[in-house]
Amino acid sequence: MALSQYGVKETPGLRDNPQILSYFDEIGFNGSKLHDETAWCSAFTNWVAMKCGYSFSGKLNARSWLNIGESTSNPQPGDVVILWREKPDSWKGHVGFFIKQNKNFVYVLGGNQRNSVCIQAYPKHRVLDFK
């Protein structure tokens, strides 16, 4: 489901991408009152989980995913990855779907990565949890 959205991106300027606004709408937030520049990684992750029949946080903050599912030390493709932003104890974060990892990086398929749905590498030390 997440891969089916690969390449969805924010619309520059005053217009908004209706697909991104639909992520908000379908998880219970009024997309018409938001913009595609609104942080939408958790909205995307919620939308995918909901469409697939999995538990979801229903919240727009990435760290809300720390309370969903069970932690794993052996993540598999499609598992949720929660990362910190700015500093480990900040309220800010990022969330997406695990693709793979190597010694230094975790590869995440997520929304609001480079203003789009794409795969991006993040330093492994920023991982808060895999679910």
Side-chain angles (χ1 to χ4, degrees):
M1 180 60 69
L3 279 171
S4 76
Q5 302 299 295
Y6 196 92
V8 169
K9 58 180 66 176
E10 294 175 13
T11 303
L14 297 177
R15 293 190 160 181
D16 295 307
N17 184 324
Q19 182 60 36
I20 295 171
L21 298 184
S22 77
Y23 302 147
F24 291 109
D25 286 336
E26 292 186 45
I27 64 165
F29 292 85
N30 187 345
S32 68
K33 292 187 177 184
L34 301 167
H35 299 284
D36 64 8
E37 288 86 14
T38 302
W40 52 278
C41 66
S42 187
F44 175 74
T45 306
N46 273 287
W47 181 84
V48 171
M50 183 188 74
K51 290 286 193 185
C52 294
Y54 293 113
S55 297
F56 55 98
S57 78
K59 298 181 179 177
L60 297 181
N61 58 317
R63 288 183 182 226
S64 66
W65 285 88
L66 291 169
N67 301 315
I68 303 300
E70 294 182 27
S71 297
T72 181
S73 58
N74 184 28
Q76 299 300 307
D79 284 348
V80 173
V81 182
I82 304 104
L83 304 116
W84 57 265
R85 241 181 351 115
E86 291 185 4
K87 55 186 179 176
D89 59 352
S90 166
W91 65 271
K92 296 178 181 179
H94 184 66
V95 64
F97 298 99
F98 178 81
I99 297 296
K100 68 177 186 174
Q101 62 183 328
N102 61 30
K103 181 179 176 185
N104 297 312
F105 294 96
V106 60
Y107 293 81
V108 177
L109 169 61
N112 204 25
Q113 296 180 164
R114 294 189 301 258
N115 299 326
S116 67
V117 175
C118 66
I119 296 172
Q120 186 168 329
Y122 292 91
K124 281 180 80 172
H125 74 270
R126 286 186 45 201
V127 172
L128 291 170
D129 207 355
F130 295 109
K131 300 281 191 148

